[in-house]
Amino acid sequence: MKYLFTTMLFFFVASIGLYSQSEGCITQQDEQLFERLEYNLKQANKTVEKGYVTRFVPVHFHIVTDNDGSNSLDEDKLIKDLCKLNNRYEEADILFYIDEISYINSTNLNSRPRLSSSVSLMRQNRNSNAMNVYLVTNILQNDGSPSGAAGYYSGGSNNDFIVMLKTTLGNDSFVLEHEIGHFFSLPHTHVGWEGDISQGSTNGGYQPEIHGDTVRIQIITGSTQSGPVEVELVNGSNCNVAGDRICDTPPDYGFGQSCGCCTMVYDVWDRNGDKIEPMIDNVMSYSNGCDPFLFSQEQIITMQSDFDSPFRSYLRTGEVTEYNPIPNSVNIISPVSDQIYEDFNGVLIEWEPIAEAEGYRVQISGRQQLSFITTDSELFLTELLPNSLYFVDVFAVNKFGTGCNTVTRRLFQTGTGSTSVNETESVNSVTLYPNPARSGEQITLSLEASKNISGQLSLYNLNGEKIWDQWVSIFENRSAIELSSAELTPGIYLLEFNSSEGLIVEKLIIE
C-alpha cells in the first residue's frame, strides 16, 4: 500500500505490521535529537510533495564476538531476518539492503559496548556510507552489572550507530525496528516517562498511586533517557513543544510500559480534564504484545524527512534504485527426497537458478554442520560421512537478504562408496595421472569413449567452490585432456565432467 501525502493526513495513522520492543531501550533523547526532529518536522511539506519515493538504506552489520571468536552470530539468520525488517517498513517507503557484514573480535565490546574503549572501536569500524548496526551478546553497565538494555541508538556525527543484542534480532521484541526509529530522529511517544531502565522496564511510566486519575503535573522528570519534558495535553495546544513533539501521536504517559501490555487499562485525564486515549500500540512506545503496531503518519514523514536531510546525505549512495527481493523458494533438483548416495564423498546438490539471486547459501545438517556460499546453481560435496542422514537447505540471497520463508529443505542419505563417479555409459574408462601430483605439474585426464561427447569440465575444492571450468570435447576411442596445476595449492580437489550423457567425478590430490 502506498500513501497519498497531504498536510491534512497528519491527523491520521498508518498501520505497519510491527511489534514494539518491550525490552529495554537506553537511547539518550538529548537536545541534539530534538533539534534534528524539529528540522525534519519543518521539512514535512517538502517530503509530502515528493510523493511516492522509495528510500533505500545501506546497512553495515558488525557482528561482534569475544576475543577468541566465540559468542558470534550465524550470518544466515541475519540475512533471513532482513526480509522481516523490509516487510515492516515497506509501507513507509523505507527499505534496507546489506552494504557489508563484518566481524569484530572484542570481548569488551561484546559485553560492555559503552566503555570508552568500546566506543572508540565502534568509531574506528564505522562505515561512513551506511547505517551501522553493532550486534553484541550483552549490554552491561561499564562495571559489569546489568543495564536492562536490549538496544540503543548512539547519536552524534562521531557515533551515529545502533547497538543491539543478537538475541533480539528478528524476534517479537523488534528492537531493531524501534532503534531505527531513533536513528531517523523519532523519540519515544512517552519520552520523559521512562524512569530508570536499569531498575527494570516497569520502573517508569504512569503509576496510579503516584500520579492519580488526573495527572496535574506540567513537567515530568526522573527519566535516565531525557531531561525534564513538558507533559502533553489532549487538546494538542502544546503538542509541538511537549511529549514527543509529534502532533498526531496522542499524549502517552508511559501507559504501556506501566502495565506491560497493549491495552489502555487506566481511566486517566490530563490537567484540563480531557480523557487520555494514547496510541498505546505505537512502535516507539514500550507496550508489549500488540498486533499490529503502528507508526503515525507524521512519524513516517519525519523518518523520510530525516533520510532526505543533509545529515543523512551519506545514506543516499544511489547504489540501489529498485526493490527486487527474492520472490520464492529454491527448487532443489538433486537430491530428491530420501535419496541415497552410495558414493558418500561425492554428492551433487543442484537447484534451479532464481533470476533475482546474487548468490546461494547451502546448509548441511545432520551428523555434520556445514555451510557454503556459491554463485552457481550446484554444489559438489566431498567431505560427508558414510552411512549418514543429512538435511540440505538452500536459499537464494541478494542485497535484500532472502525471501521470508523461502528456504527449501531436502533429506538424503549417504552410503559407503568412494569418490570416483562414472554415470556415463558411453565412457568406458577414466584415468587421471599423475595423481597425487605436485603443484605446477602437468596433469592428464584420459578417457576412453564409445562416441563423441561434449560437456563442462569443472574443478572444485573441498569447500565446494568452483576453481575453474571449461567446455571440452571427448572423441570416440581415447581422448587426453591436459590440465595445468600451476595455480593449485596443496589439497584435495574434485574434477567433474558434466554432459548430457551423465556425470564423471575424479578426486585429484595436489601435494
Side-chain angles (χ1 to χ4, degrees), residues 2 51-56 90 92-95 307 320-321 323:
K2 299 291 185 179
Y52 308 139
V53 177
T54 301
R55 292 152 175 88
F56 294 98
E90 187 173 6
D93 288 316
I94 298 175
L95 296 169
F307 178 92
V320 175
T321 59
Y323 186 42

Side-chain angles (χ1 to χ4, degrees), residues 111-261:
S111 58
R112 293 183 289 172
R114 291 184 291 170
L115 285 172
S116 59
S117 59
S118 297
V119 174
S120 296
L121 188 57
M122 287 189 283
R123 288 175 177 172
Q124 292 169 20
N125 285 273
R126 179 177 174 270
N127 184 337
S128 59
N129 295 305
M131 181 175 78
N132 290 261
V133 178
Y134 293 87
L135 300 165
V136 299
T137 299
N138 288 300
I139 302 176
L140 302 176
Q141 304 280 19
N142 288 351
D143 62 5
S145 61
S147 69
Y152 62 94
Y153 164 65
S154 183
S157 56
N158 290 331
N159 293 350
D160 194 32
F161 46 69
I162 291 170
V163 179
M164 58 177 287
L165 297 180
K166 303 181 184 92
T167 53
T168 63
L169 189 66
N171 70 9
D172 287 353
S173 62
F174 285 77
V175 174
L176 182 55
E177 289 79 2
H178 180 99
E179 300 306 334
I180 286 174
H182 287 315
F183 179 87
F184 285 124
S185 80
L186 295 183
H188 293 145
T189 53
H190 58 296
V191 58
W193 291 85
E194 298 94 346
D196 185 349
I197 191 65
S198 67
Q199 302 302 314
S201 60
T202 58
N203 171 258
Y206 168 79
Q207 304 294 331
E209 66 278 8
I210 297 176
H211 303 108
D213 294 339
T214 299
V215 179
R216 301 188 183 280
I217 57 174
Q218 297 186 33
I219 304 292
I220 181 68
T221 60
S223 171
T224 56
Q225 295 178 254
S226 71
V229 176
E230 185 175 338
V231 175
E232 188 176 359
L233 298 172
V234 173
N235 64 13
S237 59
N238 65 346
C239 67
N240 59 344
V241 295
D244 65 357
R245 306 186 193 181
I246 295 179
C247 287
D248 70 344
T249 57
D252 182 357
Y253 300 169
F255 300 109
Q257 179 179 356
S258 177
C259 70
C261 63

Side-chain angles (χ1 to χ4, degrees), residues 15-117:
S15 172
I16 295 183
L18 286 171
Y19 299 82
S20 181
Q21 59 104 358
S22 58
E23 288 142 312
C25 162
I26 54 173
T27 296
Q28 293 300 305
Q29 298 151 110
D30 53 20
E31 204 51 45
Q32 187 178 45
L33 183 142
F34 280 104
E35 288 173 1
R36 280 178 46 215
L37 173 65
E38 183 179 357
Y39 173 88
N40 293 330
L41 290 172
K42 289 179 179 178
Q43 301 301 310
N45 286 340
K46 292 181 180 179
T47 302
V48 168
E49 290 170 1
K50 285 189 175 182
Y52 308 139
V53 177
T54 301
R55 292 152 175 88
F56 294 98
V57 181
V59 185
H60 186 147
F61 290 101
H62 305 262
I63 299 176
V64 184
T65 74
D66 288 346
N67 292 340
D68 60 2
S70 61
N71 289 316
S72 186
L73 174 71
D74 185 354
E75 268 188 36
D76 292 342
K77 174 174 171 50
L78 174 60
I79 291 169
K80 293 171 186 175
D81 286 335
L82 188 60
C83 173
K84 299 178 184 178
L85 176 64
N86 280 324
N87 279 356
R88 292 160 192 157
Y89 271 88
E90 187 173 6
E91 292 190 38
D93 288 316
I94 298 175
L95 296 169
F96 305 86
Y97 66 92
I98 296 172
D99 181 75
E100 187 176 346
I101 299 174
S102 63
Y103 290 81
I104 302 174
N105 297 342
S106 169
T107 300
N108 276 343
L109 176 55
N110 203 23
S111 58
R112 293 183 289 172
R114 291 184 291 170
L115 285 172
S116 59
S117 59

